[in-house]
Amino acid sequence: MKEFQPISVRGAIGTYRGAFTAIFVISAFVNLLMLTGPIFMLQVYDRVLASNSVPTLLGLAGIALMLYFVGGLLDILRLRALTRIAMRVYSRLSGPAFRANMKMPLIAGRRAAGVSPYRDVEAIRRFLGSPGPAAICDLPFMPAYFLIIFVFHPWLGMLAVAGGIFIACLVVTNEFLSRKPSKNLSESSGLQSTLISSTRRNADVITAMGMGDSLSNRYSGAVEQHYQRQQAVSDHSNLFSSVIKMLRLMLQSAMLGLGAYLVIQQEVTAGVMIAASIIMARALAPIEQAVSHWPSFVASRQAAGRLDETFKACAEAGDTAGLPMPKSTLRVEGLATAAPGEQDLFLQGVDFELNAGDGLGVVGPSGSGKSSLARALVGIWPSLAGSVRLDGATLDQWSLTERGRFIGYLPQDVELFEGTVAENICRFAAEPDIEAILQAAEAASIHHMIAGLPEGYQTQIGEAGTLLSAGQRQRLGLARALYGNPFLLVLDEPNSNLDTVGERALTDAMNAARARGGIVIVIAHRPSALAAVNKTLMIQNGAQVQFGDRDEMLRKVVPAQRSTAQHRSKIDAV
């Protein structure tokens, strides 16, 4: 099983190859029926006017009307089919894009700020559902129109081919000149999205500290930059679109003028003159339509390239199928880690082993690397050296979903999701275990608190749990970490927002986890968090300093800290 199945944009679109073939066949009939107008004009000028036959005119008009109707229906069918294909491709890519969106920050770190797989999928959907693909399907039929004009007269055909070649050169030029502006536009759009999401996520901090005006000015600057890039892309597209439209009209008039000359020379009929002009306009129309949709096409192509790179970066090596859940040991061997996408080590030289039922308290000054260790232990940050092994197997030998069955994690900043209390506790499982939810709530000692909410476990907590206090969010996060009785429980500053009752409940939960054979690791600044552990690890300056029995280490560390404090007070007195 792979967490990210190998997928590519080309593969997703290629799944509907048969549908695109059908659209191409429909396009062939649409282009054939587009000859209805020129042929009708040809017959009117050369047959009806020559014979003064009203019945002939009525018969030709009836046939033309029927063909126009059929052509219109086929064109509607083609556009409807493209819309449905676009939604199918969107549906096929949206799941992998959503998962990649979650994983990219853990792979590229801060460099993932401008990467938005979901926005790229939307760009592909917009193009596939637009008339742009239909115009592209019409392009291969241009030579057929030129051939018909050649049949009318070689001079007319040469004029049509020369005009088509010149316009094609403009299209190629437009392609090369539009790449960089379109890429810049996509980047500025990503910056805007990142700023919007971050300000929404931190609205309380922004409001409390009066940062709204500053961030609003920053956003205005981003909008101005995006506006300038959007204007550059639009001006570029409009320039080529207008030039090609002007050339098409000029060529149509030139075809009419050359046809008139040939009529005067009695080399073609007046009907041929009119028909050639109309066919010329129809032959060049797909180019004009394609150019008008060119920015969307370029954005879609660039989005497809980014998506393929993102999917490739997020693809995981195959895990070991059938690997049992760990239940005995945690072994950390020479671990070194850094933030995703970075090479500067935040932590190195960590080496310890814990057995089932052990509890480890990780202590040290702020910024020493304690949270970095917690992230590495649960697989959020990469192991740049050494390894984290559970029962001898490294974390990457399980899929992310399987890891979730034996890992519980409570970060410093508890992030809850919009939904019910029960959904947040069970980690939004598709088939939640009600008994396991109640058990986790009881273990975190929040069952009575939840029962007192307006709708109990079905209470909606709002975006990021805004309807709960900081302490309630932390205890709800603890219940989420305890859901399913995980073997490895990692708690990062779990008592930072807890009162005395909450700290007692935390200690009871940690003791219960150890009693059932789990391993508990707690990052702590306050000594009360160490009441439920039997071992202690000290980290300073991004490196392991000591590891051993809790009581023995505290006997060594506390006197040393007191001695240091007394020494400092003497210096201050002097």
Side-chain angles (χ1 to χ4, degrees), residues 214-247:
S214 299
L215 289 174
S216 179
N217 292 334
R218 185 170 186 174
Y219 179 71
S220 297
V223 170
E224 180 65 24
Q225 183 187 53
H226 182 71
Y227 167 76
Q228 293 175 355
R229 292 180 175 181
Q230 177 70 62
Q231 190 176 45
V233 171
S234 298
D235 290 346
H236 178 89
S237 175
N238 292 336
L239 171 64
F240 276 87
S241 180
S242 298
V243 169
I244 289 175
K245 181 179 180 180
M246 177 189 67
L247 288 174

Side-chain angles (χ1 to χ4, degrees), residues 2 13 192 288 335 373 400 486 549:
K2 287 179 182 286
I13 296 176
Q192 281 190 84
E288 185 177 343
L335 177 66
L373 173 61
L400 294 180
D549 180 75

Side-chain angles (χ1 to χ4, degrees), residues 34-79:
M34 284 295 176
L35 295 173
T36 300
I39 294 176
F40 178 71
M41 297 291 293
L42 179 64
Q43 295 301 317
V44 167
Y45 274 88
D46 293 350
R47 186 182 298 272
V48 175
L49 295 182
S51 62
N52 294 322
S53 174
V54 174
T56 302
L57 176 61
L58 293 176
L60 290 173
I63 295 173
L65 183 63
M66 181 186 67
L67 294 177
Y68 278 130
F69 181 74
V70 172
L73 286 179
L74 290 177
D75 196 41
I76 292 173
L77 178 63
R78 178 172 63 167
L79 293 177

Side-chain angles (χ1 to χ4, degrees), residues 18 46 123 194 206 214 236 300 309 339 421:
D46 293 350
T194 301
I206 294 170
S214 299
H236 178 89
S300 174
E309 291 179 1
V421 171

Side-chain angles (χ1 to χ4, degrees), residues 177-191:
L177 294 180
S178 62
R179 289 180 179 178
K180 187 174 181 179
S182 297
K183 182 178 180 181
N184 292 337
L185 180 63
S186 177
E187 291 176 352
S188 63
S189 177
L191 291 176

